[in-house]
Amino acid sequence: MPLNVMLDVTVATAHSLPLVLAGPILRAVNAKQLTFWLATSSPVKLQLTLQADGQNARHFAEQELAAHCRSIRCAEKLFLQLIHIPLSEPLPEEVWISYDLQLATEQDQLEWLGWQHWAPDLVYPERDNPGFIIKSKLRRLLHGSCRKPHFDCADGLLAADDFLAQQLQHFDASQWPALLLLSGDQIYADDVAAPMLRAIHQLIAQLGFANETLPCSIVDNSAELHQQAPHYFQRNNLLPKTAGGQAVLQQVFKGVKKPIFTSDSARNHLISLAEMMAMYLLVWSPSGWQPEATELSPELHAQLSAAEQQQYRSQQVIVQQFAAGLPKVRRLLAHLPSAMIFDDHDVTDDWNLTAEWEQTAYDHDFSRRIIGNALVGYLLCQAWGNTPERFEPALLTRVEQAFSDSGSKQHQDLIAELLRFEHWHYRWPTEPPLLVLDTRTRRWRSEVSIDKPSGLLDWEAITELQQDLLGHSAVVLVAPAPVFGVKLIEGIQRIFTYFGKPLLVDAENWMAHRGTAYALLNLFRHPKTPKHFVILSGDVHYSFVYEVKLRGKPDSPNIWQITSSGIKNEFPSRLLDVLDRLNRWLYSPRSPLNWLTKRRRMKIVPHKPEHARSGERLLNRAGIGLVDLNADGSPKRIAQLTNSGELICFHRKEDEARWE
């Protein structure tokens, strides 16, 4: 680390850091490769033992594992490790494979420490070590999005962990989920509770990040931002506002103007690279939390108004409850391979929604830095584990250099490189294949006006998607925003777009851009398209299931739009009830309004949530989605496992029988 770098260690650390700050998290796993992600507070040496039921153990010694592990130093006391092991001898499928990952620090190389020392609650009671099952086919999936720590409800990932615990009590390898699919908003960089931001700053002070200079900001550097002037509840005043941005983002009513960052909750928006990284550690693991992490200190109390103090204390209770559940979250992520993709809140609300938003945001050095820092965090904490082979060693070296000299030209050049990067989407070689779409950075800009919504995929991306689909009889497609959404809500978004105000209603749906809409619908009409499409989505903060077919086409593919959202977020209940009811009235099967939609050549049959009120189609219950697939890739059971542990199944209205 350069001598001229000042570290953010202005607050004395009363608590020593644990060796493992987050993880291990299972990422891309199949019979021919293993991928683990973890964060440590010191450089470590690693060794790994795998034990498949009924087979001899396979041991990877320190020297062998070192060849397959890349470590990146992000701070004085933060090291990210990605272990990506190509296997010459494939692992067995459909059996439990336990793993014992042991660590040793450079200071004490003779003492190898297993999970019992650095995560004593990592293992389920029925097992001696953590483990996983490699599935020959995708028969059971867990999926969800939108996990906001300070939303006042239980964490859906806890329900997923309880589900695994129940599976182990009556263990049947065939019933074990194949994957955990996280389809966006794994963090809320643009909507952070003040107690959460305080916990982030407490952790940053311990980790010792390099001081990041901040361009075009009234706060010069991250040391000042984190400790001297953290600006709780006031960060919206720090975020950039340009003359162009104000003109673009002006609200309809009362002439109120919004900044470049359009989240209504941007008063604690994350800014620095250190804040982005600390947020990931704190939402995935209990290790970085200090007992007093969220306490309202006397100094902070004096800075806040009476209303802000009250809000702080109410959020504090929720955030503390969130932190209390993190041991189970860590356990879940250590046992299920997880596939991840970003959505807007992983970076900022309305990210790339219109061409004019892009022009305004990327032309300002400060907003460009904030977006870039979020992308660096996403690269290291999410994308790297999705496709380890895609990120060259030279790129990772540049990432490490940006951390060591934050705010430098190297840091700025890295951000420019990531903003040009076009390979966040990916495909896993499962059966049926898993295709995960990047609907944020490869957008089809409006040809009509730069203030109109961009298409979620451009022509080139849709063409590539079509090529990926050829030759498969079934596919699981992860699209962060639903491909087939609620018609009324999309109609409201279209009205606001017509008046030039798409940002006010997040006019972000597949039908908002004519070119993308028709190209996508034509994809489903292609003669060589898969017979079964299972589309898994989130984003909207409610859950629903649509079954879709092409009208007048006997050989139509079978398309299921399955939406589960949020993991820890919900839509305003009264408003959703009204919208659900109006949607049923205005877009009933015989309604002429259906012919005004781009989907008029498709028959869409909504599935009803079990025990729903008469006609209800939208489920407003936080939790995690559960999908069981038949051998041909079609859904056998579609359900929402709520955060209270209730399993709510969806079925067609005329089929009142429960799923088996």
Side-chain angles (χ1 to χ4, degrees):
M1 188 173 293
L3 294 177
N4 64 342
V5 171
M6 180 180 72
L7 298 178
D8 288 346
V9 291
T10 55
V11 173
T13 57
H15 304 276
S16 60
L17 285 167
L19 176 60
V20 176
L21 295 167
I25 298 178
L26 274 176
R27 300 306 317 278
V29 173
N30 57 52
K32 297 181 179 180
Q33 70 172 24
L34 280 179
T35 309
F36 296 92
W37 180 98
L38 73 157
T40 61
S41 58
S42 301
V44 293
K45 298 181 183 297
L46 303 162
Q47 63 180 15
L48 175 68
T49 300
L50 302 176
Q51 176 72 66
D53 283 354
Q55 298 191 14
N56 294 328
R58 296 167 65 171
H59 183 69
F60 297 85
E62 171 195 331
Q63 294 79 6
E64 183 179 6
L65 208 57
H68 304 299
C69 178
R70 174 64 193 254
S71 179
I72 292 182
R73 184 174 187 174
C74 301
E76 183 183 22
K77 297 180 180 179
L78 175 59
F79 299 80
L80 299 187
Q81 327 284 339
L82 193 80
I83 307 163
H84 180 59
I85 310 172
L87 300 167
S88 55
E89 180 182 348
L91 289 170
E93 297 177 335
E94 304 297 340
V95 299
W96 179 266
I97 303 173
S98 66
Y99 66 90
D100 185 12
L101 181 64
Q102 297 199 339
L103 289 69
T105 64
E106 293 181 349
Q107 290 75 20
D108 192 357
Q109 300 180 24
L110 299 179
E111 184 179 6
W112 290 96
L113 303 177
W115 62 268
Q116 299 89 340
H117 296 87
W118 41 265
D121 47 10
L122 187 68
V123 174
Y124 291 100
E126 292 77 11
R127 297 288 167 173
D128 297 326
N129 281 308
F132 55 91
I133 298 175
I134 298 173
K135 308 297 290 185
S136 58
K137 287 191 174 183
L138 299 183
R139 292 294 184 87
R140 173 166 285 178
L141 302 169
L142 294 174
H143 71 108
S145 72
C146 307
R147 184 167 172 253
K148 182 159 70 171
H150 63 281
F151 188 83
D152 191 9
C153 74
D155 191 345
L157 291 188
L158 303 187
D161 175 78
D162 290 340
F163 182 76
L164 291 194
Q166 293 169 9
Q167 295 288 306
L168 285 171
Q169 289 176 3
H170 308 284
F171 183 66
D172 181 352
S174 66
Q175 300 302 307
W176 191 257
L179 298 173
L180 171 64
L181 306 174
L182 299 174
S183 57
D185 302 343
Q186 279 66 262
I187 67 168
Y188 275 68
D190 61 333
D191 186 356
V192 184
M196 186 75 181
L197 187 58
R198 178 161 171 76
I200 288 170
H201 290 160
Q202 294 273 325
L203 180 58
I204 286 172
Q206 289 189 287
L207 296 177
F209 281 88
N211 190 25
E212 178 182 349
T213 56
L214 301 174
C216 305
S217 171
I218 62 175
V219 177
D220 292 334
N221 56 69
S222 61
E224 181 182 353
L225 177 70
H226 299 160
Q227 303 301 338
Q228 299 173 25
H231 292 273
Y232 293 103
F233 297 110
Q234 302 297 325
R235 288 189 163 204
N236 53 315
N237 296 323
L238 298 179
L239 299 178
K241 301 177 180 66
T242 68
Q246 289 178 341
V248 172
L249 306 173
Q250 187 175 19
Q251 293 189 30
V252 172
F253 304 109
K254 299 180 181 179
V256 178
K257 297 180 179 180
K258 297 181 74 175
I260 293 172
F261 291 89
T262 52
S263 171
D264 292 331
S265 305
R267 299 176 70 198
N268 290 317
H269 202 301
L270 300 184
I271 292 174
S272 69
L273 193 52
E275 288 175 343
M276 302 292 179
M277 298 303 300
M279 181 71 161
Y280 277 106
L281 300 180
L282 292 177
V283 300
W284 283 343
S285 172
S287 298
W289 289 83
Q290 302 173 19
E292 73 285 358
T294 63
E295 292 299 320
L296 182 57
S297 66
E299 297 80 11
L300 181 56
H301 184 278
Q303 297 174 19
L304 303 182
S305 67
E308 290 169 344
Q309 292 171 19
Q310 182 178 0
Q311 183 179 1
Y312 188 102
R313 295 191 187 283
S314 64
Q315 291 179 339
Q316 182 182 17
V317 174
I318 302 170
V319 171
Q320 288 174 340
Q321 292 171 343
F322 171 81
L326 288 172
K328 286 189 171 185
V329 173
R330 174 171 60 186
R331 184 169 67 176
L332 169 72
L333 296 175
H335 286 81
L336 273 189
S338 54
M340 306 180 186
I341 191 63
F342 48 42
D343 205 7
D344 53 349
H345 295 293
D346 294 280
V347 176
T348 192
D349 191 28
D350 293 336
W351 179 32
N352 293 347
L353 191 146
T354 68
E356 192 160 13
W357 189 98
E358 293 186 54
Q359 180 181 347
T360 305
Y362 298 133
D363 282 351
H364 194 287
D365 288 342
F366 192 30
S367 55
R368 182 183 177 91
R369 171 67 62 80
I370 296 170
I371 296 167
N373 284 344
L375 276 176
V376 173
Y378 173 77
L379 163 64
L380 293 181
C381 299
Q382 298 195 57
W384 195 13
N386 291 331
T387 53
E389 67 285 347
R390 186 169 290 177
F391 301 102
E392 299 292 336
L395 171 62
L396 299 175
T397 297
R398 292 193 290 275
V399 171
E400 193 168 42
Q401 291 170 344
F403 275 100
S404 69
D405 197 4
S406 299
S408 65
K409 184 179 184 301
Q410 288 177 319
H411 187 175
Q412 296 172 23
D413 290 345
L414 173 67
I415 288 174
E417 182 177 0
L418 295 184
L419 290 176
R420 293 191 302 267
F421 191 75
E422 292 189 343
H423 300 285
W424 302 115
H425 61 290
Y426 58 97
R427 171 181 170 178
W428 280 4
T430 54
E431 180 58 40
L434 175 72
L435 301 180
V436 182
L437 303 183
D438 163 19
T439 59
R440 282 286 159 188
T441 72
R442 304 184 71 187
R443 294 205 153 185
W444 193 335
R445 280 89 181 176
S446 173
E447 300 90 345
V448 177
S449 173
I450 62 172
D451 66 348
K452 300 294 184 184
S454 298
L456 271 62
L457 287 182
D458 61 21
W459 174 259
E460 182 180 15
I462 293 178
T463 301
E464 290 177 10
L465 173 61
Q466 185 171 19
Q467 292 301 310
D468 285 337
L469 295 173
L470 296 179
H472 299 287
S473 60
V475 66
V476 175
L477 190 68
V478 177
V483 174
F484 301 94
V486 177
K487 290 181 181 179
L488 174 63
I489 295 176
E490 293 181 356
I492 293 172
Q493 293 172 336
R494 189 161 57 249
I495 291 171
F496 274 78
T497 298
Y498 177 81
F499 288 103
K501 310 298 177 184
L503 297 168
L504 294 182
V505 290
D506 290 338
E508 210 141 28
N509 62 76
W510 287 85
M511 303 301 132
H513 181 279
R514 182 179 297 272
T516 295
Y518 286 121
L520 183 72
L521 297 180
N522 285 333
L523 182 149
F524 294 123
R525 300 187 185 101
H526 193 282
K528 295 184 179 180
T529 200
K531 179 65 176 176
H532 301 294
F533 278 92
V534 173
I535 304 173
L536 303 179
S537 303
D539 178 57
V540 293
H541 304 167
Y542 49 85
S543 302
F544 63 91
V545 175
Y546 289 162
E547 188 174 344
V548 184
K549 284 183 175 292
L550 301 176
R551 293 183 184 275
K553 189 172 183 181
D555 59 344
S556 166
N558 302 307
I559 306 166
W560 287 270
Q561 172 65 67
I562 304 173
T563 303
S564 176
S565 178
I567 293 175
K568 197 175 189 297
N569 213 335
E570 293 178 353
F571 203 89
S573 58
R574 291 186 179 179
L575 178 58
L576 188 65
D577 287 343
V578 171
L579 294 174
D580 191 4
R581 189 175 299 110
L582 286 175
N583 185 70
R584 297 196 303 270
W585 292 345
L586 295 174
Y587 292 94
S588 65
R590 294 180 177 84
S591 171
L593 290 177
N594 290 311
W595 292 97
L596 300 178
T597 71
K598 298 181 180 70
R599 295 177 285 180
R600 55 187 172 271
R601 295 183 181 178
M602 292 192 158
K603 179 182 179 182
I604 299 177
V605 180
H607 285 217
K608 179 182 177 181
E610 203 168 22
H611 309 307
R613 292 173 295 180
S614 177
E616 191 175 48
R617 296 292 178 264
L618 307 180
L619 179 65
N620 198 19
R621 297 285 296 277
I624 195 81
L626 174 64
V627 179
D628 290 341
L629 301 177
N630 292 308
D632 63 0
S634 63
K636 177 181 180 182
R637 176 174 67 170
I638 303 170
Q640 179 80 350
L641 182 60
T642 71
N643 52 19
S644 63
E646 183 181 6
L647 188 68
I648 300 177
C649 296
F650 289 83
H651 49 78
R652 295 185 66 156
K653 184 177 180 180
E654 62 269 26
D655 180 11
E656 295 297 337
R658 294 174 181 268
W659 292 99
E660 297 179 357

